[in-house]
Amino acid sequence: MSTLTADDLRARVGELLAAHPPASTDRLEFLRARFDAGLAWVHYPAGLGGLDAPRELQNVVEAELAKAGAPDNNPRRIGIGLGMAAPTILRFGTEEQKQRYLRPLWTGEEVWCQLFSEPGAGSDLAALGTRAVRDGDEWVVNGQKVWTSVAHIARFAILVTRTNPDVPKHQGMTYFICDMTDPGVEVRPLRQLTGEAEFNEVFLSGVRIPDANRLGAVGEGWKVAQTTLMNERVAIGGNAIPREGGLIGMVSQTWRDRPELRTPELHDRLLKLWVQAEAARLAGTRLRQQLAVGAPGPEGSAMKLAFANLQQALTGLEIELSGEDGLRYDDWTLRRPEKVDMLGRGPGYRYLRAKGNSIEGGTSEVLRNIISERVLGLPSEPRVDKDVAWKDLPR
């Protein structure tokens, strides 16, 4: 870790702004220059968009750049790359992989998706059946993935496959980087409850992936995937929001705007949810502080679980507070959005979209198991398939 201070970073930001004035510099050119200056994510290594500086100093950089009107890298659009692919590549990737992928990932020139969930594996990622068979210096991949956000605009994907069916399910997996433009990759829209196709099905038919695109050792895909999943849960449940920001802010405003719909029972529910939202916000701050000093732990699962419960409760209350207006839906036209727009749509959309929060990023049932076993230290759930070869598991 370097000894850079906040003043040192302010000076570096000043140098970047002097060399690339935001008002007269192309957006992409500015972002590339920011990455090369080590100001993309200051806690990353030098040469990879960072300066080996303490993670909390990123706030100093963001404040200085915002004050200067500098463009951002649209983190909501490229959230999977930033929150899941990047930390996994940083930890398990080769130097060549880091140099190749991290810069265009951060600038948004290359969007990433996550090929994890499968229709036959349910909520048990370790049961996945997409096969990768080695053929010389390449792997031939066949299978199907589902619930894949932004696959329709993604250039690359992080992919978990089954490479050895003769060992227990957690031991025979291998992790790859998949080029979504390669022959054999087919993306089909998956229309959701909201009417839009934010998710996709992805079919992999004879896709050839170079061994050079493997992340981690053969057979250790579960270990690599755990890094991705823990970062995913922090990314979903630990976002920084101001007090009374996000959904609780919108619901509170609806309460203020519609006095004719108020009842004592709704008032009681709003107060309880406001307290829960504030507790979740402060817990998220604590989680990010923990992240600043090391890898995310299983506590991120608790944040993601709390986030899902709160989102669903808030959107349900908002529907009730909105009266007849809450039952109207803004648009059923099929869309394929690049990001979830919870705050930019109506109460009906938010209510329907929030249903997915208890599934995406690990179901609430799986997260409760993680919390009970790895956070609270309670006895493990009986697992009769723990020592059974994957090929012998009933399906």
Side-chain angles (χ1 to χ4, degrees):
M1 190 68 70
S2 75
T3 57
L4 286 170
T5 66
D7 286 340
D8 294 331
L9 286 178
R10 289 190 185 96
R12 286 176 180 259
V13 172
E15 293 171 4
L16 172 68
L17 294 170
H20 304 276
S24 57
T25 304
D26 174 75
R27 176 179 179 276
L28 185 55
E29 180 186 343
F30 183 88
L31 293 176
R32 288 171 175 169
R34 178 179 166 180
F35 186 94
D36 295 340
L39 299 171
W41 32 39
V42 298
H43 54 290
Y44 269 44
L48 297 175
L51 295 166
D52 289 306
R55 188 187 188 111
E56 59 267 24
L57 291 181
Q58 186 70 43
N59 294 332
V60 175
V61 174
E62 300 299 338
E64 292 296 306
L65 291 175
K67 191 164 57 178
D72 70 22
N73 58 340
N74 198 356
R76 290 186 62 203
R77 178 174 181 269
I78 57 175
I80 293 175
L82 292 174
M84 300 159 216
T88 308
I89 293 171
L90 184 66
R91 180 170 179 186
F92 292 97
T94 63
E95 285 306 310
E96 290 77 13
Q97 290 169 336
K98 295 172 188 175
Q99 292 291 340
R100 164 61 185 86
Y101 296 114
L102 291 179
R103 188 177 189 248
L105 181 159
W106 188 85
T107 61
E109 293 170 82
E110 292 174 344
V111 176
W112 286 66
C113 66
Q114 182 186 37
L115 296 177
F116 277 26
S117 297
E118 294 188 6
S123 59
D124 184 4
L125 176 62
L128 63 82
T130 291
R131 290 293 311 276
V133 178
R134 188 151 191 168
D135 182 16
D137 292 333
E138 296 180 323
W139 294 80
V140 181
V141 180
N142 288 282
Q144 179 188 353
K145 299 290 182 175
V146 73
W147 309 119
T148 309
S149 303
V150 302
H152 53 291
I153 59 170
R155 169 62 198 281
F156 290 105
I158 42 179
L159 165 68
V160 184
T161 67
R162 176 77 46 198
T163 49
N164 186 352
D166 297 322
V167 296
K169 60 183 181 180
H170 290 91
Q171 300 175 21
M173 302 161 66
T174 301
Y175 198 118
F176 295 98
I177 294 171
C178 175
D179 188 333
M180 296 292 286
T181 67
D182 275 348
V185 178
E186 181 185 1
V187 179
R188 300 179 188 172
L190 191 62
R191 196 164 190 177
Q192 303 157 223
L193 182 65
T194 58
E196 57 185 19
E198 169 199 334
F199 298 127
N200 302 273
E201 295 177 293
V202 178
F203 295 84
L204 305 164
S205 305
V207 180
R208 302 189 77 87
I209 298 179
D211 188 59
N213 283 11
R214 173 167 46 83
L215 279 177
V218 175
E220 294 190 1
W222 181 251
K223 175 183 175 183
V224 183
Q226 288 306 300
T227 294
T228 306
L229 294 173
M230 285 193 288
N231 280 283
E232 179 181 27
R233 287 156 193 165
V234 173
I236 293 175
N239 288 328
I241 55 174
R243 190 174 189 180
E244 203 174 292
L247 274 181
I248 186 60
M250 301 192 78
V251 176
S252 298
Q253 191 58 50
T254 302
W255 173 266
R256 297 182 183 109
D257 294 342
R258 302 292 298 271
E260 75 279 10
L261 298 174
R262 298 174 188 171
T263 67
E265 188 270 336
L266 291 177
H267 183 248
D268 186 49
R269 283 170 59 190
L270 177 61
L271 283 180
K272 288 179 179 176
L273 291 174
W274 196 96
V275 172
Q276 289 178 27
E278 182 63 5
R281 186 182 73 82
L282 295 174
T285 300
R286 176 83 174 108
L287 186 64
R288 289 190 296 280
Q289 291 172 343
Q290 177 185 336
L291 192 61
V293 296
E299 294 83 356
S301 297
M303 279 305 304
K304 195 272 171 182
L305 177 63
F307 165 81
N309 292 340
L310 187 59
Q311 291 281 97
Q312 292 176 359
L314 282 170
T315 54
L317 179 59
E318 185 183 30
I319 285 285
E320 294 184 55
L321 283 173
S322 301
E324 294 180 356
D325 293 340
L327 299 177
R328 297 192 180 99
Y329 199 74
D330 51 3
D331 188 358
W332 283 105
T333 304
L334 176 64
R335 309 183 209 184
R336 305 194 75 188
E338 296 182 1
K339 58 187 178 185
V340 178
D341 189 16
M342 286 293 281
L343 302 184
R345 300 283 299 273
Y349 170 83
R350 284 190 281 277
Y351 177 76
L352 296 177
R353 180 59 183 81
K355 300 303 179 188
N357 292 150
S358 53
I359 301 174
E360 57 196 353
T363 66
S364 293
E365 290 75 15
V366 169
L367 298 182
R368 288 190 182 95
N369 271 355
I370 293 173
I371 294 165
S372 66
E373 296 174 11
R374 298 173 60 187
V375 179
L376 301 178
L378 297 176
S380 299
E381 182 184 33
R383 295 186 173 93
V384 296
D385 61 355
K386 185 177 179 181
D387 299 317
V388 180
W390 177 84
K391 63 181 175 58
D392 296 327
L393 294 176
R395 295 182 181 79

